[in-house]
Structure formats: C-alpha cells, structure tokens
Amino acid sequence: MIHNIDNSIVELATSVDLLKPLDKNPRKGDIAAIKASYAQFGQLKPIVAVEDEDGKFTVIAGNHQLRAAKELGWEQIAVAVVSLSEKEALAFALTDNKISELGSNDGELLFDLISDVTKSEFIQDDLFEAIGWDDFAIAAMENKIILSEAPIETDSSTWSAPQIVVSSVPVMTADGEETSVSTSPAPTTITPAVPTDTIVTQGSTSTKVEGGSSAAIQFTLVFSNAEEQAKWYSFLRWLKSHPSFSGETTSERLINFIDNYIED
C-alpha cells in the first residue's frame, strides 16, 4: 500500500477510503504546508477518528492531514480510533482546533532554532517556505530581535522653541513727531535649555542610554532580494559581537566601524 507512515505508528494504518471528514468542519488548514511536512518527515503522529454505525470512521482531529495524504496519493494513513459519543467527538474537535491557536513563541529562541535547522542539508528548501518561514520572514524575525535590544520612546521634552524679541527704533514722521517702528529681528541664536549631548530633535525618536537621551535619525534600507537582506543582518550580528566596536546601540557600533575603516 502507498503511504509514508513512520514505523512507530504503522500498525494504525487505515485505508483512506474508510475515512470521512468531519461535516461542517470550521477549521481551515494549510494543505500545502502539511504536504511539505509529510514529504519531508512522513506521518509521525496519527490522526483521530470515531467509528460510525456503517463501519467507516469520521475524522475529528486531522481532517487536513487526511486531505493532504490523499493529494499525495497515499492509500493509507495512521488513525487512532477513540470511543466518544457524537457530542463528545464534536467537543473534542472544537477543543483540538482551539488549542492549536493558543500559546506563543519566544521570538529569539524560535529564530535560533530556525537558524540551526536551516543549516542542515537534510531539510528540503521548500519546507519552511511552505509553512510561512521563507527568507524574508526569517530576516524580518531577526530584524525584530535586533531592534528590541534597545527600547525606543518618543521624547521631545528637551526641545525648546527659540524666543524671538522684536526690537523697535525711534523715527521722525513727516510732521516732525517722534514715533517708533518694529524692525526685522536679527538672526536669533538658540541657546539650548539642556546640554548639547542630550538634545533630541523635535519629532524624532530617542533611545535611552547611559548619560541621557540621544537623537535617533530613522531611515529605511531597501534590499533587492532576501540574500542582500540576510547579509545585512549577518553583518549586524557580527558587529554586535565584535569586541573592537563597542557601543550602547547598534548605531554607535556602526559609527565606530565606519571611523575605523573609512578615511575622511
């Protein structure tokens, strides 16, 4: 029989012709992702079904796995048959769907695991793309980690508007009377209300570092492809770990790198 069931559960192999999907199943799964997983690893855990009065089985957990197996041409799939009432079966199906939505990931740990796995020659190139972790998604994940190293906040409290004083001078009218008129003010020198090393440009964001706030100029890098983006983030990782380029923020390390290698 045609299948790719792991030997540990092969005794649960059941003909796909005996299996029926759950009627009105609200869950919408990603068949392409399941097929990519089955193609890479085979079936490592069984789907769950209850036996019907006609001798066939209704799948209550794994409906999309069944569909993926059929699209792959499998004639059998491993099934764990359980004894539940109709109401219990429906309750389990709803609970199983909801549980898969709960929980969250530690972004940095997830990125580290993905990075380790993608270095393996065993993993097919299209596996992670099928489940939504293509090169751009992984690079964006790394970017989020880099940006999270220094929390940012909007801070314009140290910016003060200049005080412009309009001066006046006495003049004589045609009738010989003295009056005064306003003159255009001379260029005003703005004296910072705080030390210059803590001034923040109005409207910019600032990062809190030791010694106060420092202005942060924002910009966007546009990459032509995922490879360029990955190289940039690889460089930032190297820069962050290199002892020769110290700094509280990535921008400080980058400036140190430029000062070291670029001549004026």
Side-chain angles (χ1 to χ4, degrees), residues 123-161:
I123 300 299
Q124 297 177 10
D125 293 338
D126 59 350
L127 174 63
F128 279 0
E129 291 186 9
I131 61 178
W133 287 335
D134 58 14
D135 289 341
F136 283 104
I138 296 173
M141 195 182 303
E142 183 178 14
N143 185 38
K144 186 176 181 180
I145 295 170
I146 292 173
L147 293 178
S148 68
E149 70 177 34
I152 63 172
E153 61 181 27
T154 300
D155 184 359
S156 59
S157 60
T158 56
W159 183 86
S160 299

PDB file of all heavy atoms in Angstrom, residues 123-161:
ATOM      1  N   ILE A 123      17.232  19.206   5.422  1.00  0.00           N
ATOM      2  CA  ILE A 123      15.968  19.903   5.253  1.00  0.00           C
ATOM      3  C   ILE A 123      15.792  20.333   3.800  1.00  0.00           C
ATOM      4  O   ILE A 123      16.664  20.964   3.208  1.00  0.00           O
ATOM      5  CB  ILE A 123      15.885  21.129   6.178  1.00  0.00           C
ATOM      6  CG1 ILE A 123      16.009  20.692   7.635  1.00  0.00           C
ATOM      7  CG2 ILE A 123      14.582  21.888   5.963  1.00  0.00           C
ATOM      8  CD1 ILE A 123      14.919  19.741   8.093  1.00  0.00           C
ATOM      9  N   GLN A 124      14.646  20.011   3.225  1.00  0.00           N
ATOM     10  CA  GLN A 124      14.335  20.417   1.867  1.00  0.00           C
ATOM     11  C   GLN A 124      14.112  21.927   1.826  1.00  0.00           C
ATOM     12  O   GLN A 124      13.547  22.511   2.740  1.00  0.00           O
ATOM     13  CB  GLN A 124      13.092  19.681   1.361  1.00  0.00           C
ATOM     14  CG  GLN A 124      13.267  18.166   1.284  1.00  0.00           C
ATOM     15  CD  GLN A 124      12.003  17.461   0.842  1.00  0.00           C
ATOM     16  OE1 GLN A 124      11.051  18.081   0.411  1.00  0.00           O
ATOM     17  NE2 GLN A 124      12.003  16.135   0.958  1.00  0.00           N
ATOM     18  N   ASP A 125      14.537  22.548   0.721  1.00  0.00           N
ATOM     19  CA  ASP A 125      14.492  24.008   0.622  1.00  0.00           C
ATOM     20  C   ASP A 125      13.078  24.566   0.731  1.00  0.00           C
ATOM     21  O   ASP A 125      12.873  25.662   1.237  1.00  0.00           O
ATOM     22  CB  ASP A 125      15.115  24.462  -0.706  1.00  0.00           C
ATOM     23  CG  ASP A 125      16.614  24.180  -0.749  1.00  0.00           C
ATOM     24  OD1 ASP A 125      17.219  24.047   0.331  1.00  0.00           O
ATOM     25  OD2 ASP A 125      17.159  24.093  -1.864  1.00  0.00           O
ATOM     26  N   ASP A 126      12.095  23.836   0.226  1.00  0.00           N
ATOM     27  CA  ASP A 126      10.738  24.382   0.171  1.00  0.00           C
ATOM     28  C   ASP A 126       9.920  24.095   1.426  1.00  0.00           C
ATOM     29  O   ASP A 126       8.769  24.517   1.527  1.00  0.00           O
ATOM     30  CB  ASP A 126       9.990  23.850  -1.051  1.00  0.00           C
ATOM     31  CG  ASP A 126       9.895  22.323  -1.051  1.00  0.00           C
ATOM     32  OD1 ASP A 126      10.570  21.689  -0.209  1.00  0.00           O
ATOM     33  OD2 ASP A 126       9.159  21.782  -1.885  1.00  0.00           O
ATOM     34  N   LEU A 127      10.488  23.399   2.411  1.00  0.00           N
ATOM     35  CA  LEU A 127       9.718  23.045   3.599  1.00  0.00           C
ATOM     36  C   LEU A 127       9.318  24.282   4.391  1.00  0.00           C
ATOM     37  O   LEU A 127       8.134  24.499   4.660  1.00  0.00           O
ATOM     38  CB  LEU A 127      10.519  22.100   4.492  1.00  0.00           C
ATOM     39  CG  LEU A 127       9.858  21.772   5.850  1.00  0.00           C
ATOM     40  CD1 LEU A 127       8.532  21.050   5.638  1.00  0.00           C
ATOM     41  CD2 LEU A 127      10.788  20.940   6.720  1.00  0.00           C
ATOM     42  N   PHE A 128      10.280  25.103   4.777  1.00  0.00           N
ATOM     43  CA  PHE A 128       9.970  26.280   5.586  1.00  0.00           C
ATOM     44  C   PHE A 128       9.174  27.309   4.785  1.00  0.00           C
ATOM     45  O   PHE A 128       8.367  28.049   5.353  1.00  0.00           O
ATOM     46  CB  PHE A 128      11.247  26.901   6.141  1.00  0.00           C
ATOM     47  CG  PHE A 128      11.757  26.196   7.368  1.00  0.00           C
ATOM     48  CD1 PHE A 128      11.091  25.096   7.882  1.00  0.00           C
ATOM     49  CD2 PHE A 128      12.899  26.625   8.014  1.00  0.00           C
ATOM     50  CE1 PHE A 128      11.543  24.435   9.007  1.00  0.00           C
ATOM     51  CE2 PHE A 128      13.359  25.971   9.153  1.00  0.00           C
ATOM     52  CZ  PHE A 128      12.677  24.875   9.649  1.00  0.00           C
ATOM     53  N   GLU A 129       9.411  27.394   3.495  1.00  0.00           N
ATOM     54  CA  GLU A 129       8.620  28.311   2.679  1.00  0.00           C
ATOM     55  C   GLU A 129       7.151  27.908   2.694  1.00  0.00           C
ATOM     56  O   GLU A 129       6.266  28.760   2.735  1.00  0.00           O
ATOM     57  CB  GLU A 129       9.151  28.335   1.246  1.00  0.00           C
ATOM     58  CG  GLU A 129      10.517  28.985   1.106  1.00  0.00           C
ATOM     59  CD  GLU A 129      10.944  29.125  -0.340  1.00  0.00           C
ATOM     60  OE1 GLU A 129      10.094  28.873  -1.224  1.00  0.00           O
ATOM     61  OE2 GLU A 129      12.112  29.470  -0.582  1.00  0.00           O
ATOM     62  N   ALA A 130       6.890  26.608   2.690  1.00  0.00           N
ATOM     63  CA  ALA A 130       5.516  26.120   2.682  1.00  0.00           C
ATOM     64  C   ALA A 130       4.784  26.453   3.976  1.00  0.00           C
ATOM     65  O   ALA A 130       3.571  26.653   3.972  1.00  0.00           O
ATOM     66  CB  ALA A 130       5.488  24.611   2.440  1.00  0.00           C
ATOM     67  N   ILE A 131       5.512  26.518   5.089  1.00  0.00           N
ATOM     68  CA  ILE A 131       4.863  26.805   6.364  1.00  0.00           C
ATOM     69  C   ILE A 131       4.989  28.281   6.751  1.00  0.00           C
ATOM     70  O   ILE A 131       4.666  28.660   7.874  1.00  0.00           O
ATOM     71  CB  ILE A 131       5.423  25.922   7.500  1.00  0.00           C
ATOM     72  CG1 ILE A 131       6.917  26.152   7.706  1.00  0.00           C
ATOM     73  CG2 ILE A 131       5.154  24.467   7.215  1.00  0.00           C
ATOM     74  CD1 ILE A 131       7.506  25.345   8.856  1.00  0.00           C
ATOM     75  N   GLY A 132       5.446  29.116   5.805  1.00  0.00           N
ATOM     76  CA  GLY A 132       5.449  30.560   6.032  1.00  0.00           C
ATOM     77  C   GLY A 132       6.743  31.139   6.550  1.00  0.00           C
ATOM     78  O   GLY A 132       6.791  32.321   6.911  1.00  0.00           O
ATOM     79  N   TRP A 133       7.798  30.358   6.588  1.00  0.00           N
ATOM     80  CA  TRP A 133       9.096  30.865   7.056  1.00  0.00           C
ATOM     81  C   TRP A 133      10.068  30.908   5.888  1.00  0.00           C
ATOM     82  O   TRP A 133      11.047  30.174   5.842  1.00  0.00           O
ATOM     83  CB  TRP A 133       9.661  29.987   8.167  1.00  0.00           C
ATOM     84  CG  TRP A 133       8.962  30.129   9.478  1.00  0.00           C
ATOM     85  CD1 TRP A 133       8.254  31.203   9.917  1.00  0.00           C
ATOM     86  CD2 TRP A 133       8.899  29.160  10.527  1.00  0.00           C
ATOM     87  NE1 TRP A 133       7.744  30.972  11.163  1.00  0.00           N
ATOM     88  CE2 TRP A 133       8.131  29.728  11.571  1.00  0.00           C
ATOM     89  CE3 TRP A 133       9.408  27.875  10.687  1.00  0.00           C
ATOM     90  CZ2 TRP A 133       7.863  29.051  12.749  1.00  0.00           C
ATOM     91  CZ3 TRP A 133       9.143  27.212  11.864  1.00  0.00           C
ATOM     92  CH2 TRP A 133       8.390  27.783  12.888  1.00  0.00           C
ATOM     93  N   ASP A 134       9.790  31.793   4.931  1.00  0.00           N
ATOM     94  CA  ASP A 134      10.718  31.951   3.824  1.00  0.00           C
ATOM     95  C   ASP A 134      11.852  32.888   4.265  1.00  0.00           C
ATOM     96  O   ASP A 134      11.923  33.319   5.414  1.00  0.00           O
ATOM     97  CB  ASP A 134      10.007  32.487   2.575  1.00  0.00           C
ATOM     98  CG  ASP A 134       9.317  33.823   2.822  1.00  0.00           C
ATOM     99  OD1 ASP A 134       9.590  34.473   3.860  1.00  0.00           O
ATOM    100  OD2 ASP A 134       8.493  34.216   1.977  1.00  0.00           O
ATOM    101  N   ASP A 135      12.759  33.204   3.341  1.00  0.00           N
ATOM    102  CA  ASP A 135      13.926  34.010   3.691  1.00  0.00           C
ATOM    103  C   ASP A 135      13.537  35.375   4.248  1.00  0.00           C
ATOM    104  O   ASP A 135      14.154  35.879   5.185  1.00  0.00           O
ATOM    105  CB  ASP A 135      14.833  34.195   2.461  1.00  0.00           C
ATOM    106  CG  ASP A 135      15.540  32.907   2.065  1.00  0.00           C
ATOM    107  OD1 ASP A 135      15.613  32.003   2.918  1.00  0.00           O
ATOM    108  OD2 ASP A 135      16.010  32.806   0.922  1.00  0.00           O
ATOM    109  N   PHE A 136      12.502  35.989   3.656  1.00  0.00           N
ATOM    110  CA  PHE A 136      12.100  37.316   4.108  1.00  0.00           C
ATOM    111  C   PHE A 136      11.498  37.256   5.506  1.00  0.00           C
ATOM    112  O   PHE A 136      11.743  38.127   6.337  1.00  0.00           O
ATOM    113  CB  PHE A 136      11.096  37.924   3.127  1.00  0.00           C
ATOM    114  CG  PHE A 136      11.737  38.447   1.871  1.00  0.00           C
ATOM    115  CD1 PHE A 136      11.643  37.757   0.681  1.00  0.00           C
ATOM    116  CD2 PHE A 136      12.447  39.639   1.888  1.00  0.00           C
ATOM    117  CE1 PHE A 136      12.235  38.228  -0.482  1.00  0.00           C
ATOM    118  CE2 PHE A 136      13.040  40.129   0.734  1.00  0.00           C
ATOM    119  CZ  PHE A 136      12.937  39.426  -0.454  1.00  0.00           C
ATOM    120  N   ALA A 137      10.688  36.230   5.787  1.00  0.00           N
ATOM    121  CA  ALA A 137      10.076  36.092   7.108  1.00  0.00           C
ATOM    122  C   ALA A 137      11.142  35.874   8.181  1.00  0.00           C
ATOM    123  O   ALA A 137      11.069  36.442   9.273  1.00  0.00           O
ATOM    124  CB  ALA A 137       9.077  34.936   7.103  1.00  0.00           C
ATOM    125  N   ILE A 138      12.151  35.067   7.862  1.00  0.00           N
ATOM    126  CA  ILE A 138      13.221  34.803   8.822  1.00  0.00           C
ATOM    127  C   ILE A 138      14.063  36.061   9.046  1.00  0.00           C
ATOM    128  O   ILE A 138      14.438  36.387  10.175  1.00  0.00           O
ATOM    129  CB  ILE A 138      14.108  33.636   8.333  1.00  0.00           C
ATOM    130  CG1 ILE A 138      13.277  32.335   8.283  1.00  0.00           C
ATOM    131  CG2 ILE A 138      15.321  33.454   9.237  1.00  0.00           C
ATOM    132  CD1 ILE A 138      14.015  31.167   7.662  1.00  0.00           C
ATOM    133  N   ALA A 139      14.341  36.800   7.957  1.00  0.00           N
ATOM    134  CA  ALA A 139      15.103  38.041   8.092  1.00  0.00           C
ATOM    135  C   ALA A 139      14.328  39.068   8.914  1.00  0.00           C
ATOM    136  O   ALA A 139      14.896  39.787   9.734  1.00  0.00           O
ATOM    137  CB  ALA A 139      15.435  38.609   6.715  1.00  0.00           C
ATOM    138  N   ALA A 140      13.008  39.138   8.709  1.00  0.00           N
ATOM    139  CA  ALA A 140      12.178  40.066   9.484  1.00  0.00           C
ATOM    140  C   ALA A 140      12.172  39.686  10.955  1.00  0.00           C
ATOM    141  O   ALA A 140      12.167  40.549  11.838  1.00  0.00           O
ATOM    142  CB  ALA A 140      10.756  40.075   8.930  1.00  0.00           C
ATOM    143  N   MET A 141      12.191  38.394  11.227  1.00  0.00           N
ATOM    144  CA  MET A 141      12.238  37.897  12.597  1.00  0.00           C
ATOM    145  C   MET A 141      13.539  38.345  13.268  1.00  0.00           C
ATOM    146  O   MET A 141      13.544  38.800  14.418  1.00  0.00           O
ATOM    147  CB  MET A 141      12.142  36.365  12.577  1.00  0.00           C
ATOM    148  CG  MET A 141      11.818  35.720  13.916  1.00  0.00           C
ATOM    149  SD  MET A 141      11.790  33.905  13.765  1.00  0.00           S
ATOM    150  CE  MET A 141      10.564  33.687  12.474  1.00  0.00           C
ATOM    151  N   GLU A 142      14.641  38.247  12.529  1.00  0.00           N
ATOM    152  CA  GLU A 142      15.932  38.663  13.065  1.00  0.00           C
ATOM    153  C   GLU A 142      15.974  40.170  13.274  1.00  0.00           C
ATOM    154  O   GLU A 142      16.497  40.668  14.273  1.00  0.00           O
ATOM    155  CB  GLU A 142      17.049  38.235  12.120  1.00  0.00           C
ATOM    156  CG  GLU A 142      18.433  38.561  12.640  1.00  0.00           C
ATOM    157  CD  GLU A 142      19.531  38.077  11.698  1.00  0.00           C
ATOM    158  OE1 GLU A 142      19.205  37.747  10.540  1.00  0.00           O
ATOM    159  OE2 GLU A 142      20.688  38.032  12.122  1.00  0.00           O
ATOM    160  N   ASN A 143      15.383  40.910  12.347  1.00  0.00           N
ATOM    161  CA  ASN A 143      15.348  42.361  12.462  1.00  0.00           C
ATOM    162  C   ASN A 143      14.619  42.788  13.731  1.00  0.00           C
ATOM    163  O   ASN A 143      15.044  43.701  14.438  1.00  0.00           O
ATOM    164  CB  ASN A 143      14.669  42.963  11.232  1.00  0.00           C
ATOM    165  CG  ASN A 143      14.704  44.481  11.239  1.00  0.00           C
ATOM    166  OD1 ASN A 143      15.695  45.080  11.644  1.00  0.00           O
ATOM    167  ND2 ASN A 143      13.626  45.104  10.800  1.00  0.00           N
ATOM    168  N   LYS A 144      13.524  42.108  14.035  1.00  0.00           N
ATOM    169  CA  LYS A 144      12.745  42.429  15.240  1.00  0.00           C
ATOM    170  C   LYS A 144      13.578  42.211  16.490  1.00  0.00           C
ATOM    171  O   LYS A 144      13.502  42.988  17.455  1.00  0.00           O
ATOM    172  CB  LYS A 144      11.483  41.568  15.277  1.00  0.00           C
ATOM    173  CG  LYS A 144      10.535  41.920  16.413  1.00  0.00           C
ATOM    174  CD  LYS A 144       9.265  41.102  16.324  1.00  0.00           C
ATOM    175  CE  LYS A 144       8.302  41.471  17.443  1.00  0.00           C
ATOM    176  NZ  LYS A 144       7.041  40.676  17.360  1.00  0.00           N
ATOM    177  N   ILE A 145      14.391  41.153  16.485  1.00  0.00           N
ATOM    178  CA  ILE A 145      15.250  40.873  17.632  1.00  0.00           C
ATOM    179  C   ILE A 145      16.295  41.966  17.787  1.00  0.00           C
ATOM    180  O   ILE A 145      16.569  42.444  18.890  1.00  0.00           O
ATOM    181  CB  ILE A 145      15.928  39.500  17.474  1.00  0.00           C
ATOM    182  CG1 ILE A 145      14.866  38.377  17.508  1.00  0.00           C
ATOM    183  CG2 ILE A 145      16.968  39.278  18.559  1.00  0.00           C
ATOM    184  CD1 ILE A 145      15.425  37.031  17.130  1.00  0.00           C
ATOM    185  N   ILE A 146      16.894  42.394  16.673  1.00  0.00           N
ATOM    186  CA  ILE A 146      17.926  43.431  16.714  1.00  0.00           C
ATOM    187  C   ILE A 146      17.344  44.737  17.238  1.00  0.00           C
ATOM    188  O   ILE A 146      17.930  45.414  18.086  1.00  0.00           O
ATOM    189  CB  ILE A 146      18.542  43.639  15.309  1.00  0.00           C
ATOM    190  CG1 ILE A 146      19.346  42.393  14.899  1.00  0.00           C
ATOM    191  CG2 ILE A 146      19.439  44.873  15.283  1.00  0.00           C
ATOM    192  CD1 ILE A 146      19.835  42.427  13.482  1.00  0.00           C
ATOM    193  N   LEU A 147      16.155  45.095  16.746  1.00  0.00           N
ATOM    194  CA  LEU A 147      15.543  46.346  17.168  1.00  0.00           C
ATOM    195  C   LEU A 147      15.126  46.327  18.629  1.00  0.00           C
ATOM    196  O   LEU A 147      15.054  47.367  19.275  1.00  0.00           O
ATOM    197  CB  LEU A 147      14.318  46.645  16.286  1.00  0.00           C
ATOM    198  CG  LEU A 147      14.602  46.953  14.811  1.00  0.00           C
ATOM    199  CD1 LEU A 147      13.298  47.165  14.062  1.00  0.00           C
ATOM    200  CD2 LEU A 147      15.483  48.189  14.679  1.00  0.00           C
ATOM    201  N   SER A 148      14.859  45.145  19.154  1.00  0.00           N
ATOM    202  CA  SER A 148      14.390  45.044  20.530  1.00  0.00           C
ATOM    203  C   SER A 148      15.509  45.180  21.558  1.00  0.00           C
ATOM    204  O   SER A 148      15.243  45.233  22.753  1.00  0.00           O
ATOM    205  CB  SER A 148      13.683  43.692  20.747  1.00  0.00           C
ATOM    206  OG  SER A 148      14.608  42.621  20.661  1.00  0.00           O
ATOM    207  N   GLU A 149      16.765  45.262  21.088  1.00  0.00           N
ATOM    208  CA  GLU A 149      17.872  45.334  22.047  1.00  0.00           C
ATOM    209  C   GLU A 149      17.900  46.658  22.797  1.00  0.00           C
ATOM    210  O   GLU A 149      18.426  46.752  23.898  1.00  0.00           O
ATOM    211  CB  GLU A 149      19.205  45.116  21.336  1.00  0.00           C
ATOM    212  CG  GLU A 149      19.604  46.259  20.421  1.00  0.00           C
ATOM    213  CD  GLU A 149      20.963  46.046  19.794  1.00  0.00           C
ATOM    214  OE1 GLU A 149      21.315  44.880  19.506  1.00  0.00           O
ATOM    215  OE2 GLU A 149      21.673  47.040  19.597  1.00  0.00           O
ATOM    216  N   ALA A 150      17.310  47.699  22.216  1.00  0.00           N
ATOM    217  CA  ALA A 150      17.272  48.989  22.902  1.00  0.00           C
ATOM    218  C   ALA A 150      15.884  49.589  22.729  1.00  0.00           C
ATOM    219  O   ALA A 150      15.565  50.080  21.657  1.00  0.00           O
ATOM    220  CB  ALA A 150      18.335  49.935  22.328  1.00  0.00           C
ATOM    221  N   PRO A 151      15.022  49.526  23.749  1.00  0.00           N
ATOM    222  CA  PRO A 151      13.673  50.093  23.642  1.00  0.00           C
ATOM    223  C   PRO A 151      13.735  51.568  23.275  1.00  0.00           C
ATOM    224  O   PRO A 151      14.613  52.296  23.751  1.00  0.00           O
ATOM    225  CB  PRO A 151      13.089  49.889  25.041  1.00  0.00           C
ATOM    226  CG  PRO A 151      13.908  48.800  25.639  1.00  0.00           C
ATOM    227  CD  PRO A 151      15.283  48.949  25.070  1.00  0.00           C
ATOM    228  N   ILE A 152      12.828  51.979  22.417  1.00  0.00           N
ATOM    229  CA  ILE A 152      12.800  53.373  21.999  1.00  0.00           C
ATOM    230  C   ILE A 152      11.558  54.049  22.529  1.00  0.00           C
ATOM    231  O   ILE A 152      10.551  53.415  22.819  1.00  0.00           O
ATOM    232  CB  ILE A 152      12.861  53.511  20.459  1.00  0.00           C
ATOM    233  CG1 ILE A 152      11.622  52.868  19.819  1.00  0.00           C
ATOM    234  CG2 ILE A 152      14.122  52.919  19.916  1.00  0.00           C
ATOM    235  CD1 ILE A 152      11.518  53.130  18.344  1.00  0.00           C
ATOM    236  N   GLU A 153      11.623  55.355  22.666  1.00  0.00           N
ATOM    237  CA  GLU A 153      10.458  56.112  23.091  1.00  0.00           C
ATOM    238  C   GLU A 153      10.513  57.480  22.439  1.00  0.00           C
ATOM    239  O   GLU A 153      11.580  57.999  22.121  1.00  0.00           O
ATOM    240  CB  GLU A 153      10.431  56.265  24.611  1.00  0.00           C
ATOM    241  CG  GLU A 153      11.625  57.012  25.158  1.00  0.00           C
ATOM    242  CD  GLU A 153      11.584  57.117  26.667  1.00  0.00           C
ATOM    243  OE1 GLU A 153      10.970  56.237  27.297  1.00  0.00           O
ATOM    244  OE2 GLU A 153      12.143  58.081  27.206  1.00  0.00           O
ATOM    245  N   THR A 154       9.362  58.054  22.213  1.00  0.00           N
ATOM    246  CA  THR A 154       9.309  59.389  21.643  1.00  0.00           C
ATOM    247  C   THR A 154       9.631  60.386  22.740  1.00  0.00           C
ATOM    248  O   THR A 154       9.050  60.339  23.817  1.00  0.00           O
ATOM    249  CB  THR A 154       7.921  59.676  21.059  1.00  0.00           C
ATOM    250  OG1 THR A 154       7.659  58.713  20.043  1.00  0.00           O
ATOM    251  CG2 THR A 154       7.852  61.071  20.463  1.00  0.00           C
ATOM    252  N   ASP A 155      10.551  61.282  22.481  1.00  0.00           N
ATOM    253  CA  ASP A 155      10.974  62.211  23.518  1.00  0.00           C
ATOM    254  C   ASP A 155      11.303  63.562  22.887  1.00  0.00           C
ATOM    255  O   ASP A 155      12.310  63.702  22.209  1.00  0.00           O
ATOM    256  CB  ASP A 155      12.206  61.661  24.245  1.00  0.00           C
ATOM    257  CG  ASP A 155      12.632  62.555  25.404  1.00  0.00           C
ATOM    258  OD1 ASP A 155      11.983  63.594  25.623  1.00  0.00           O
ATOM    259  OD2 ASP A 155      13.617  62.191  26.075  1.00  0.00           O
ATOM    260  N   SER A 156      10.423  64.536  23.059  1.00  0.00           N
ATOM    261  CA  SER A 156      10.693  65.872  22.550  1.00  0.00           C
ATOM    262  C   SER A 156      10.703  66.888  23.686  1.00  0.00           C
ATOM    263  O   SER A 156      10.664  68.089  23.466  1.00  0.00           O
ATOM    264  CB  SER A 156       9.638  66.271  21.505  1.00  0.00           C
ATOM    265  OG  SER A 156       8.341  66.230  22.092  1.00  0.00           O
ATOM    266  N   SER A 157      10.761  66.403  24.940  1.00  0.00           N
ATOM    267  CA  SER A 157      10.671  67.286  26.094  1.00  0.00           C
ATOM    268  C   SER A 157      11.880  68.200  26.234  1.00  0.00           C
ATOM    269  O   SER A 157      11.805  69.227  26.905  1.00  0.00           O
ATOM    270  CB  SER A 157      10.506  66.455  27.373  1.00  0.00           C
ATOM    271  OG  SER A 157      11.609  65.596  27.551  1.00  0.00           O
ATOM    272  N   THR A 158      12.995  67.845  25.624  1.00  0.00           N
ATOM    273  CA  THR A 158      14.203  68.657  25.782  1.00  0.00           C
ATOM    274  C   THR A 158      14.349  69.696  24.673  1.00  0.00           C
ATOM    275  O   THR A 158      15.342  70.406  24.631  1.00  0.00           O
ATOM    276  CB  THR A 158      15.445  67.757  25.791  1.00  0.00           C
ATOM    277  OG1 THR A 158      15.456  66.973  24.597  1.00  0.00           O
ATOM    278  CG2 THR A 158      15.434  66.834  26.995  1.00  0.00           C
ATOM    279  N   TRP A 159      13.364  69.776  23.780  1.00  0.00           N
ATOM    280  CA  TRP A 159      13.458  70.748  22.689  1.00  0.00           C
ATOM    281  C   TRP A 159      12.700  72.000  23.080  1.00  0.00           C
ATOM    282  O   TRP A 159      11.563  71.928  23.570  1.00  0.00           O
ATOM    283  CB  TRP A 159      12.861  70.168  21.416  1.00  0.00           C
ATOM    284  CG  TRP A 159      12.985  71.081  20.215  1.00  0.00           C
ATOM    285  CD1 TRP A 159      14.028  71.181  19.367  1.00  0.00           C
ATOM    286  CD2 TRP A 159      11.996  72.003  19.743  1.00  0.00           C
ATOM    287  NE1 TRP A 159      13.783  72.099  18.387  1.00  0.00           N
ATOM    288  CE2 TRP A 159      12.541  72.625  18.591  1.00  0.00           C
ATOM    289  CE3 TRP A 159      10.732  72.372  20.165  1.00  0.00           C
ATOM    290  CZ2 TRP A 159      11.852  73.577  17.867  1.00  0.00           C
ATOM    291  CZ3 TRP A 159      10.034  73.335  19.450  1.00  0.00           C
ATOM    292  CH2 TRP A 159      10.598  73.929  18.304  1.00  0.00           C
ATOM    293  N   SER A 160      13.322  73.171  22.883  1.00  0.00           N
ATOM    294  CA  SER A 160      12.681  74.435  23.238  1.00  0.00           C
ATOM    295  C   SER A 160      12.627  75.328  22.013  1.00  0.00           C
ATOM    296  O   SER A 160      13.619  75.470  21.282  1.00  0.00           O
ATOM    297  CB  SER A 160      13.460  75.143  24.359  1.00  0.00           C
ATOM    298  OG  SER A 160      13.493  74.334  25.517  1.00  0.00           O
ATOM    299  N   ALA A 161      11.473  75.939  21.814  1.00  0.00           N
ATOM    300  CA  ALA A 161      11.332  76.877  20.698  1.00  0.00           C
ATOM    301  C   ALA A 161      12.144  78.136  20.986  1.00  0.00           C
ATOM    302  O   ALA A 161      12.250  78.567  22.138  1.00  0.00           O
ATOM    303  CB  ALA A 161       9.866  77.232  20.492  1.00  0.00           C
TER     304      ALA A 161
END
